[in-house]
């Protein structure tokens, strides 16, 4: 059963599974390096992780389509989308060729990604992972750690320090919109 509360309490067994997962994946930020400068190799391929809760789907939709408009029609194939089916079905993803939507059947007994979903995440080729969850989301954080990408961006949380190498801090009432603008600035997308 999926909970739609804004802040979801993480169960003890999920915390234990996250601890074990972090221990196994310690410092797996990727082996390739890149720079955001015009002289270096910049971010070319993006993976957007959709929020786990439907209450954040409208913001995710605005972000995804803002990114599509900023990149232009020829570069839209640089964007991959991964997220829960109940959120992905609320978005119109027909413009995107590469997306993975998972269900609860794809999660293991601890509520984290199962073997097939982990395997699919490990095969994703991305330069940057953008997690759109406004609060810490265990499934999305685990997916983020499975993808081999040098840049992993998420919103600030104490738990997120183990999964993201860039975290966005939110301030004030416009925290969600301003966070998305900061992600665009970090990526160099106009």
């Amino acid at each position: 059963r999926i909970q739609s509360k804004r802040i979801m309490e993480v169960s003890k067994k999920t915390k234990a599974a996250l601890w074990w997962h972090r221990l196994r994946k310690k410092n797996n930020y990727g082996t390739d390096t890149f720079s955001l400068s015009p002289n270096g190799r910049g971010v070319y391929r993006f993976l957007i992780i959709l929020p786990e809760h439907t209450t954040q789907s409208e913001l995710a939709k605005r972000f995804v389509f803002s990114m599509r408009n900023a990149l232009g029609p020829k570069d839209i194939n640089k964007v991959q989308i991964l997220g829960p089916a109940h959120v992905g079905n609320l978005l119109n993803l027909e413009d995107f060729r590469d997306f993975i939507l998972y269900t609860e059947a794809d999660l293991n007994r601890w509520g984290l990604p199962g073997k097939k979903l982990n395997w699919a995440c490990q095969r994703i080729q991305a330069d940057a992972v953008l997690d759109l969850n406004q609060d810490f989301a265990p499934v999305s954080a685990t997916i983020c750690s499975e993808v081999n990408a040098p840049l992993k961006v998420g919103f600030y949380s104490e738990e997120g320090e183990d999964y993201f190498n860039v975290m966005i801090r939110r301030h004030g009432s416009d925290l969600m919109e301003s966070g998305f603008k900061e992600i665009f600035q970090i990526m160099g997308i106009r």
Side-chain angles (χ1 to χ4, degrees):
R1 186 172 159 247
I2 297 174
Q3 296 180 357
S4 62
K5 293 191 312 186
R6 171 115 170 94
I7 299 174
M8 185 172 70
E9 193 65 32
V10 179
S11 70
K12 288 181 181 181
K13 74 177 184 179
T14 301
K15 284 181 182 180
L18 285 170
W19 175 83
W20 179 250
H21 189 269
R22 279 193 313 266
L23 187 65
R24 286 188 12 237
K25 296 288 183 179
K26 192 72 172 168
N27 295 328
N28 184 20
Y29 290 124
T31 55
D32 294 336
T33 60
F34 69 96
S35 68
L36 296 176
S37 70
N39 298 335
R41 185 178 136 234
V43 178
Y44 181 73
R45 298 168 298 196
F46 300 91
L47 172 64
I48 298 174
I49 299 178
L50 298 176
E52 292 183 15
H53 303 290
T54 56
T55 56
Q56 299 174 9
S57 64
E58 188 58 38
L59 279 167
K61 182 178 183 177
R62 287 196 303 242
F63 178 82
V64 166
F65 289 103
S66 293
M67 189 162 185
R68 180 191 69 185
N69 293 339
L71 292 174
K74 67 177 182 162
D75 289 335
I76 197 62
N77 59 356
K78 295 178 184 178
V79 178
Q80 300 173 49
I81 297 175
L82 192 145
H86 67 275
V87 174
N89 291 334
L90 297 174
L91 308 178
N92 182 6
L93 299 177
E94 64 189 34
D95 291 342
F96 299 91
R97 293 186 194 158
D98 198 3
F99 59 89
I100 299 172
L101 300 178
Y102 62 86
T103 64
E104 282 193 43
D106 297 312
L107 304 179
N108 62 23
R109 64 180 169 207
W110 294 288
L112 297 176
K115 289 181 183 180
K116 288 183 181 180
L117 184 55
N118 280 334
W119 183 75
C121 294
Q122 291 167 356
R123 295 185 57 213
I124 293 173
Q125 299 292 317
D127 296 321
V129 178
L130 312 173
D131 185 352
L132 301 183
N133 285 285
Q134 299 290 316
D135 299 309
F136 180 74
V139 175
S140 297
T142 305
I143 286 171
C144 187
S145 69
E146 289 294 329
V147 176
N148 188 14
L151 181 62
K152 297 177 181 185
V153 180
F155 288 94
Y156 180 80
S157 70
E158 288 184 28
E159 300 93 349
E161 292 177 359
D162 294 324
Y163 298 95
F164 308 113
N165 48 16
V166 175
M167 290 193 293
I168 310 288
R169 250 192 222 276
R170 297 157 294 166
H171 303 287
S173 61
D174 60 290
L175 51 99
M176 294 177 190
E177 294 286 338
S178 66
F180 291 159
K181 290 176 187 174
E182 286 184 42
I183 291 173
F184 275 21
Q185 288 175 346
I186 290 168
M187 297 294 122
I189 299 171
R190 299 184 192 271

